[in-house]
Amino acid sequence: VPHSLGLVYRQPACDDPEIEKAAQVAVDYLNQHLLHGYKHTLNQIDKAKVWPRRPFGEVYELEIDTLETTCHARDPTPLANCPVRQVSQHAVEGDCDFHVLKQDNQLTVLHAKCHSTPDSAEDVRKVCSDCPLLIPLNDTRVVHAAQAALAAFNARHNGSYFKLVEISRAQLVPLPESTLVEFVVAATDCVAKEVIEPTNCNLLAEKQYGFCKTTLTEKLGGEEVAVTCTVFHTQPEVPQPQPDVAKTADPIPAVEQPAPALPSAGPPAPSVTLGHVM
Amino acid sequence: KVTHPGAAGPGGPLVRPCPGKVRHFKL
């Protein structure tokens, strides 16, 4: 809009209650639309501008820093109860840009774009020299650990056969040499004890996800696998508009949305593009 | 036309409007 029309923004303080409220709505939106990785929590509001919006309302333009929590995106635990991933666990931060519309006292996210980045190995080493560091999710040791853990889980589990859905996080422990892997599984229409051909097992229409943590330790003459899984209640799928950007299999999730053109009235229905960055 | 409500008024305390407080820790 030409400046001659007098459209100007205001800049409340970043900790102003109205800005904090809009930021929380933005972070909730981010978490509701994540399909991979972990929920993020608000850490700091970097910048805030408030633009008038015609014919009604205001648009909050926010720059926000987030931190990864230990709750997976599919974990129903409320964000307030999700612990922040500590530096010693190799923390991950997110940098987000949001546009939030305030109209009729309702806050609606118009645009969301986030990039997440793991802390540097050097910073983790400053905290402790033997902290396990993140390693790529496609590392053969990681994939092997997840598959071995899932096989062990299915062998000891009464009920549905579970399939691997996502490897979410992986770290290497130097001594004793072990691989820590967190992964997501989902129930199929097969019974675990009766499965002969896993490729014939299909995920249930009403998805039932589980979140597993495993430690695979190298031993003399073999390996030892410890695995614990939490199976969540069945969840309805969050409708996801078709993405414009090709999905990749990188480990850290991000939400990115193109800004839709502002309609003349009424809250817009934002489209979501899910991408992944490291 | 841009306002800076966090800036100090005459005799008032200087408040830095942005960035806001760090809730956990900075990387």
Side-chain angles (χ1 to χ4, degrees), chain A:
Chain A
V1 175
H3 281 289
S4 58
L5 293 180
L7 192 60
V8 294
Y9 61 86
R10 59 190 176 90
Q11 273 188 299
C14 280
D15 290 336
D16 186 290
E18 66 166 326
I19 298 298
E20 293 201 340
K21 194 173 174 184
Q24 200 52 62
V25 167
V27 171
D28 289 344
Y29 177 90
L30 166 69
N31 289 319
Q32 284 161 13
H33 289 79
L34 282 176
L35 292 175
H36 309 278
Y38 298 85
K39 294 181 186 184
H40 275 238
T41 191
L42 177 62
N43 191 36
Q44 186 178 36
I45 301 169
D46 280 337
K47 291 181 187 169
K49 291 179 183 175
V50 184
W51 295 87
R53 189 251 194 181
R54 292 177 181 183
F56 310 110
E58 290 181 310
V59 173
Y60 293 76
E61 183 184 343
L62 306 173
E63 288 184 30
I64 289 173
D65 284 347
T66 64
L67 282 172
E68 184 183 275
T69 70
T70 60
C71 293
H72 190 268
R74 297 198 182 272
D75 186 337
T77 304
L79 180 63
N81 297 339
C82 293
V84 171
R85 181 97 54 198
Q86 297 300 304
V87 175
S88 60
Q89 302 167 305
H90 208 154
V92 175
E93 68 175 343
D95 289 309
C96 299
D97 296 322
F98 289 106
H99 292 172
V100 181
L101 170 67
K102 185 177 185 183
Q103 185 175 292
D104 299 328
N105 227 20
Q106 296 267 332
L107 293 165
T108 312
V109 174
L110 302 177
H111 166 90
K113 180 181 175 181
C114 295
H115 283 276
S116 52
T117 317
D119 196 5
S120 69
E122 292 74 21
D123 284 353
V124 179
R125 287 280 172 258
K126 283 178 194 167
V127 175
C128 62
S129 59
D130 56 351
C131 286
L133 295 175
L134 286 170
I135 56 172
L137 303 182
N138 59 3
D139 186 293
T140 52
R141 292 165 294 185
V142 174
V143 176
H144 170 68
Q147 288 173 340
L150 182 55
F153 175 71
N154 274 321
R156 289 162 180 75
H157 168 74
N158 286 321
S160 296
Y161 176 80
F162 279 77
K163 272 189 170 178
L164 182 63
V165 172
E166 169 201 323
I167 297 177
S168 314
R169 177 172 246 271
Q171 292 165 285
L172 213 54
V173 181
L175 284 173
E177 191 177 326
S178 11
T179 312
L180 310 180
V181 183
E182 297 181 2
F183 58 98
V184 175
V185 295
T188 68
D189 53 5
C190 294
V191 177
K193 304 275 188 201
E194 300 171 2
V195 170
I196 298 167
E197 181 48 65
T199 54
N200 293 336
C201 302
N202 304 302
L203 298 188
L204 300 176
E206 195 174 33
K207 302 290 185 297
Q208 185 172 32
Y209 292 102
F211 180 65
C212 303
K213 296 180 182 184
T214 186
T215 304
L216 187 145
T217 309
E218 301 292 339
K219 300 264 181 182
L220 275 176
E223 58 191 22
E224 185 178 279
V225 181
V227 59
T228 58
C229 294
T230 304
V231 177
F232 306 131
H233 292 295
T234 54
Q235 296 170 20
E237 286 292 310
V238 176
Q240 297 288 331
Q242 290 302 304
D244 297 330
V245 176
K247 291 180 180 177
T248 65
D250 291 335
I252 309 298
V255 167
E256 184 170 346
Q257 284 181 226
L262 293 182
S264 56
S271 63
V272 178
T273 301
L274 285 168
H276 308 275
V277 295
M278 178 67 177

